[in-house]
């Protein structure tokens, strides 16, 4: 059974489009995260939700908007895509962010903006 | 065998001690080796990275990679209570990044 899943795995789109990436976890965790992997493969946190409440909101363009319909899902919507948005985006979840619990990562979504 | 193994701890050490955190890995194709630190209710922040065997120092932190033994370490000298956090090792190969499960570290004042 997949613990943290992301769809789609690959996303190729034109500049200016609006797209969403979905994330679901079946671990019963309270906290979910979105990370962007930069060109050197380092992960940088973008957002975190705990029980549908936004708890981390790093400096990212407001074209990026997370949406958590329930605690098992955290979707990432990106408006007006730009070339620099091309990257791999990782979703993760953990039991409780307040205790620094282990994070479980999804397989990543590779976004290519043309 | 998992690709990256890391003891989850918790590891409790007295203030001022040298801390040693370790990960082992099985894939000899890993390219970058990284250490992340995560405080409560925060995402992991990148502490150090290296791509070759040997030591890399940054202040009180030293990252060590031994590719022949497939073993990486993070040493923290003169540990402080503010170093209490979860430390995750991570490695990359091609476009994959694999994280260890993280070690919870408590520095006792």
């Amino acid at each position: 059974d997949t613990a943290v899943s992301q769809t789609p795995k690959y996303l190729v789109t034109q500049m200016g489009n609006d797209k969403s990436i979905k994330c679901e976890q079946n671990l019963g965790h309270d906290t979910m995260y979105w990370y962007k992997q930069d060109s050197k493969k380092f992960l940088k946190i973008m957002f975190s939700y705990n029980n549908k409440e936004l708890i981390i909101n790093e400096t990212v363009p407001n074209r990026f908007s997370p949406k958590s319909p329930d605690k098992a899902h955290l979707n990432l919507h990106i408006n007006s895509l730009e070339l620099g948005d091309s990257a791999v985006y990782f979703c993760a979840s953990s039991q409780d962010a307040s205790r620094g619990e282990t994070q479980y990562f999804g397989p990543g979504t590779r976004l290519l903006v043309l | 065998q998992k690709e990256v193994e890391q003891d989850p701890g918790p590891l409790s050490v007295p203030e001022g001690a040298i801390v040693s955190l370790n990960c082992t890995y099985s894939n000899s194709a890993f390219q970058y080796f990284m250490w992340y630190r995560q405080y409560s209710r925060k995402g992991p922040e990148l502490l150090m990275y290296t791509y070759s065997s040997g030591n890399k120092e940054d202040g009180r932190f030293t990252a060590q990679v031994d590719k022949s033994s497939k073993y990486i370490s993070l040493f923290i000298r003169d540990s402080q209570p503010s170093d209490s956090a979860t430390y995750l090792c991570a490695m990359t190969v091609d476009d994959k990044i694999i994280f260890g499960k993280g070690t919870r570290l408590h520095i006792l004042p």
Side-chain angles (χ1 to χ4, degrees):
Chain A
D1 280 346
T2 305
V4 181
S5 59
Q6 293 178 230
T7 53
K9 278 190 177 175
Y10 299 95
L11 182 55
V12 181
T13 188
Q14 299 278 356
M15 214 165 53
N17 283 350
D18 303 338
K19 290 293 177 187
S20 290
I21 308 172
K22 295 186 176 181
C23 179
E24 177 181 359
Q25 53 95 2
N26 62 6
L27 297 164
H29 287 166
D30 289 338
T31 308
M32 296 184 73
Y33 310 80
W34 274 109
Y35 291 87
K36 181 179 179 181
Q37 185 179 42
D38 66 18
S39 57
K40 278 194 175 163
K41 314 298 183 192
F42 305 138
L43 284 189
K44 294 184 179 172
I45 184 88
M46 298 173 71
F47 302 104
S48 177
Y49 270 73
N50 188 57
N51 268 324
K52 297 171 57 180
E53 179 191 346
L54 182 65
I55 57 171
I56 296 174
N57 186 359
E58 294 296 314
T59 307
V60 298
N62 57 15
R63 298 181 294 103
F64 289 78
S65 54
K67 286 187 172 49
S68 181
D70 55 61
K71 74 174 193 176
H73 295 84
L74 181 61
N75 304 324
L76 183 64
H77 190 76
I78 315 170
N79 289 330
S80 303
L81 278 155
E82 299 178 358
L83 295 178
D85 297 333
S86 296
V88 183
Y89 292 84
F90 285 90
C91 175
S93 73
S94 66
Q95 179 57 44
D96 182 352
S98 66
R99 296 197 300 167
E101 296 282 348
T102 298
Q103 294 191 18
Y104 292 79
F105 284 80
T109 294
R110 179 182 296 282
L111 171 65
L112 180 60
V113 182
L114 303 173
Chain B
Q1 183 188 8
K2 289 186 181 154
E3 284 195 278
V4 177
E5 300 263 14
Q6 184 177 11
D7 188 332
L11 178 64
S12 296
V13 298
E15 184 177 355
I18 295 176
V19 176
S20 170
L21 302 165
N22 311 298
C23 286
T24 57
Y25 63 94
S26 57
N27 189 345
S28 57
F30 282 130
Q31 294 155 329
Y32 279 94
F33 302 88
M34 297 159 283
W35 285 97
Y36 284 80
R37 177 178 60 197
Q38 183 181 14
Y39 290 115
S40 290
R41 295 183 71 85
K42 296 281 187 185
E45 55 173 324
L46 180 65
L47 264 182
M48 297 184 72
Y49 73 92
T50 184
Y51 51 85
S52 57
S53 278
N55 293 354
K56 182 176 179 179
E57 234 178 84
D58 184 2
R60 296 185 296 110
F61 297 88
T62 300
Q64 187 178 78
V65 174
D66 182 345
K67 287 192 175 182
S68 60
S69 303
K70 297 194 182 69
Y71 191 90
I72 69 168
S73 299
L74 177 70
F75 298 98
I76 309 174
R77 287 186 301 281
D78 188 24
S79 54
Q80 313 283 313
S82 59
D83 294 329
S84 297
T86 296
Y87 290 81
L88 301 101
C89 64
M91 307 174 193
T92 68
V93 56
D94 299 324
D95 294 316
K96 270 201 316 183
I97 180 166
I98 313 289
F99 277 79
K101 291 205 173 296
T103 300
R104 266 199 271 166
L105 174 66
H106 299 290
I107 305 298
L108 306 169

